[in-house]
Structures are given as C-alpha cells and as structure tokens.
C-alpha cells in the first residue's frame, strides 16, 4: 500500500505513518497557541522530526468546535514561513492542514507534499490543484462546519453515512485527475460527531479500511477522551494512545497526533502484537 505524494512516496504497508501536528494558530484547542511565534513553531517541528514523525502536518486555521474562520492571507502568513523553514533543513513530507485552495497552493510552492483537507475538497480549485501538482490528499468527513458542527450532530447510520461520503469524495477526486494511490480517507473524529458517533467510527474502523483506501485517524487529545474519562485536553495522552493502538489493530495506516514519541512507541508495540497474532 503506497501513498503517492508530491515528489515522494510513503510505504504504508511497511510502516504506520505518524503525522505530527504543528498548529501555527493562536487558538488551537489543545496546545493553545503555544507554537504561534515562528521560533517556537520551528523548534516544535524539529522536535517532532527527532521524535520520529513521518509527516509534519502544519495548519494555520483552528478547526476546533466553535472556532472562527481566519482570512486566506492570514492563514498563508502563518503556514508558509514555517514550511519554507522546515524545507530548508529537512526532506520530511509536509502536509498542509487547510480547506482553502489558495493556501494549499502557497504551501505546495513552499515545499508541502500533501493537502490535508478537513472539508474533503469542498473549495472548487482544490481537486485540480492536487491533480496538477501530484500532492497527496487526505479526505476527511465532517458534518456541518467547525462553527456549528458540535451543536446537534445527527445520523441515521453514522458508519454507512461516513463511509458513503468518503467513497463518493474519493470517486470525485479521481474524476478530477487525482491518482487513486494519492488518496487517504479519514472519518473525522470530533467533526460533527457525538461520543457515540466517535466510538462507533473507531470501533468499526474495519468498515472504512474495506474501501481499500488507506485510513487515517486523528483522535489526539480530543473531547471524546475527556467525555469518557474527565481528563482535560493536556491530560489525554493515555486515552490518545489507547485510541491509536486500537485503531492500528483495526487497520488504520496513518495517525495524526500531537505526542509523536509516545505514539511511535505505542504503534511499535501494537504492530508487533498484531503481527504475532497473524
Ligand atoms: N483534526 C483536527 C485538525 N485537522 N485533520 C485530519 N485529517 N483529521 C483530524 O482528525 C483532524 C485534522 C483538529 O485537531 P487540532 O489540529 O489539534 O486542533 P485545531 O483544529 O484546534 O488546530
């Protein structure tokens, strides 16, 4: 299972890919703007690389529930200098976490290889951009928009609806010229989902892996862990590792996490146990 990204390939059959989160935002829910200033963002990126990240996922717009949208110019101003700085020092694959084609274009010109789009190519020029540049794409499911998505998420069959949506967006992506091998799908934990929806999607991840597309999950420090345990965002690493390990057991090939070193270790152990079990 090869993931073709702009200028490179990741062998997802050989190794679970760990995407390390670098939020260049003043209002991200779990790291609260700590990495907004450039030197701090660069240090954080360097640290995640040293900890074993396979990809850096760099985002300039918080998509936490209730977050306000930022302008395209502001988003570019946040992510491009960091992407350029990382690229000067390292060949690590970089994904840009954005819903806007103009931001993705600027990020790719600065050296990004992947578009991580929580809106699954909703901005009309995005698909063409990915096709023309050969960028890898992450297609994520979200019900509603970040401003309103957690108000009253509702599904008649969350598993079927999310699977059908992602299958349809992957078909759309391919019809726009994006290679099948460039597409990764993601159920979008916490994006217009209540606790039960999140647990169903994670517990039945096999349904998504059956589509044949590599599956990414992003449970890191999210509210469902707090809802289950009472832990605040900064104290959700154990719950995150449980979600990562079980997701790997159920077939996830990529995980998006804040705590890279801890996730790498959890994945090494989970993978070894899974392989021993056949
Ligand atoms: N979750 C967040 C942002 N981007 N992308 C993908 N593919 N999957 C996810 O689950 C996902 C994502 C939200 O987490 P975070 O970036 O830590 O917070 P914020 O949105 O506040 O930046």
């Amino acid at each position: 299972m090869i993931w073709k990204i702009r200028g490179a390939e990741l062998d997802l059959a050989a190794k679970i890919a760990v995407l390390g989160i670098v939020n260049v935002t003043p209002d991200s829910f779990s790291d609260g703007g700590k990495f907004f200033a450039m030197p701090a963002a660069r240090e954080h990126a360097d640290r995640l690389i040293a900890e074993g990240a396979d990809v850096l996922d760099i985002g300039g717009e918080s998509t936490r529930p209730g977050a306000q949208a930022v302008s395209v110019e502001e988003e570019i101003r946040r992510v491009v200098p960091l992407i350029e700085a990382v690229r000067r020092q390292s060949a690590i694959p970089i994904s840009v976490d954005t819903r806007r084609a103009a931001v993705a274009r600027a990020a790719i010109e600065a050296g990004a290889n992947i578009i991580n789009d929580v809106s699954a190519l909703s901005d009309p020029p995005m698909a063409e951009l990915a096709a023309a540049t050969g960028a890898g794409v992450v297609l994520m499911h979200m019900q509603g928009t970040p401003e309103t998505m957690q108000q009253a998420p509702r599904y008649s069959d969350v598993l079927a609806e999310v699977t059908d949506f992602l299958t349809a967006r992957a078909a759309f992506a391919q019809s726009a010229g994006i290679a099948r091998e460039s597409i990764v799908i993601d159920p979008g934990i916490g994006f217009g989902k209540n606790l039960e929806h999140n647990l169903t999607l994670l517990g039945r991840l096999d349904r998504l892996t059956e589509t044949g597309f590599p599956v990414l999950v992003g449970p890191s420090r999210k509210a469902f862990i707090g809802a289950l345990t009472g832990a605040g965002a900064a104290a959700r690493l154990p719950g995150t590792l449980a979600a990562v390990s079980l997701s790997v057991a159920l077939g996830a090939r990529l995980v998006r996490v804040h705590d890279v070193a801890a996730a790498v270790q959890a994945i090494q152990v989970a993978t070894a146990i899974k392989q021993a079990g056949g």
Side-chain angles (χ1 to χ4, degrees), residues 3-9 87 93-94 107-109 111-114 129-130 132-137 182:
W3 190 21
K4 282 194 186 162
I5 60 177
R6 179 173 166 78
E9 289 182 353
R87 196 41 88 234
I94 295 172
I108 290 168
E109 281 167 9
N113 317 69
I114 299 158
L129 174 71
T133 58
V137 293
S182 293

Side-chain angles (χ1 to χ4, degrees), residues 15 49 83 123 148 234:
K15 187 175 183 296
I49 294 171
I83 294 170
D123 191 5
T148 59

Side-chain angles (χ1 to χ4, degrees), residues 29-32 34 221-222 226 230-238 240 258-259:
F29 82 91
S30 71
D31 40 24
K34 259 193 293 184
R221 302 183 187 171
K222 282 192 177 161
R236 294 176 187 160
L237 178 57
T240 299
H258 300 89
D259 305 281

